Amino acid sequence: MNYANIKYCDIANGVGVRTSLFVSGCRHHCKDCFNAMAWDFAYGKPFTEEVENQIIKSLEPFYIKGLTLLGGEPMEKENQEAVLHLLKRVRAAHPEKSIWVYSGFTLEELLGEVPSRAATPEAKKILALSDVLVDGRFIAEEKDISLQFRGSRNQRIIELRPTLESGEIVWWQDPINV
């Protein structure tokens, strides 16, 4: 897997100050994508053990609330093995930190309820290790800059653990505005 960027003090992609990993590779090719250069799986730099170690270390400070995965597309089949390995390490080293995943695939596509190239055993494991999924392709015609943590109105913010346990979608609730 390659990655396009890492932001070590990101406040735009999930609650609190976070480390955000932008992976390379995406076949959705959404119109007006904010990160189109990361569509290419070869874009950026190789995601090495050293880079993974830097991400784990970056989560140590108390003020870092968690890890966010974006893209490109972290749930493309080619990226899933490396993403899964990273999330296992994050959970082992920092179980108190939250994990957010942004994907152009919907939850139903990732679970295989709707046919999808991303529906794999690894995808289900990634979801089980994550706290929040922001799902759905970016749709330029539904762009809304007033939305929190998403770009278009069709995208959903899903609390994964209660959703996976109950089989019913549980929407993320902003802890500050509840």
Side-chain angles (χ1 to χ4, degrees):
M1 178 175 87
N2 277 10
Y3 70 98
N5 194 11
I6 300 172
K7 292 184 179 181
Y8 289 106
C9 285
D10 186 10
I11 59 169
N13 297 299
V15 173
V17 181
R18 313 182 65 75
T19 294
S20 293
L21 170 64
F22 294 77
V23 306
S24 294
C26 182
R27 292 185 182 89
H28 299 309
H29 295 193
C30 299
K31 177 183 168 192
D32 296 335
C33 173
F34 82 101
N35 204 13
M37 71 279 256
W39 291 351
D40 183 349
F41 284 88
Y43 179 79
K45 300 175 186 171
F47 188 72
T48 63
E49 185 175 353
E50 181 181 339
V51 172
E52 192 172 275
N53 291 339
Q54 290 170 351
I55 289 172
I56 300 294
K57 180 129 182 84
S58 78
L59 296 171
E60 289 177 2
F62 74 92
Y63 59 86
I64 300 294
K65 299 301 179 196
L67 174 68
T68 298
L69 299 172
L70 313 94
E73 174 58 73
M75 299 304 280
E76 287 284 6
K77 204 174 199 178
E78 293 86 341
N79 293 332
Q80 290 179 9
E81 184 178 330
V83 166
L84 179 57
H85 185 264
L86 172 62
L87 294 193
K88 285 178 179 178
R89 288 197 59 205
V90 168
R91 280 287 172 231
H94 302 290
E96 76 287 2
K97 305 290 182 170
S98 68
I99 297 173
W100 283 49
V101 176
Y102 280 73
S103 178
F105 295 101
T106 64
L107 177 62
E108 294 80 5
E109 289 172 317
L110 294 170
L111 293 174
E113 295 168 4
V114 172
S116 164
R117 67 181 177 272
T120 67
E122 290 79 13
K124 290 179 182 177
K125 291 174 187 173
I126 290 167
L127 293 173
L129 289 167
S130 302
D131 297 293
V132 175
L133 174 68
V134 182
D135 80 345
R137 289 158 183 78
F138 172 75
I139 298 175
E141 295 75 23
E142 293 192 38
K143 180 178 179 178
D144 183 343
I145 62 169
S146 71
L147 297 171
Q148 188 175 29
F149 304 129
R150 55 200 173 118
S152 58
R153 288 183 298 278
N154 63 295
Q155 295 172 312
R156 308 177 297 178
I157 306 177
I158 300 168
E159 287 278 357
L160 282 170
R161 289 192 180 146
T163 294
L164 296 174
E165 288 171 7
S166 70
E168 300 290 326
I169 300 273
V170 176
W171 305 111
W172 174 78
Q173 300 270 329
D174 183 347
I176 296 170
N177 296 321
V178 174

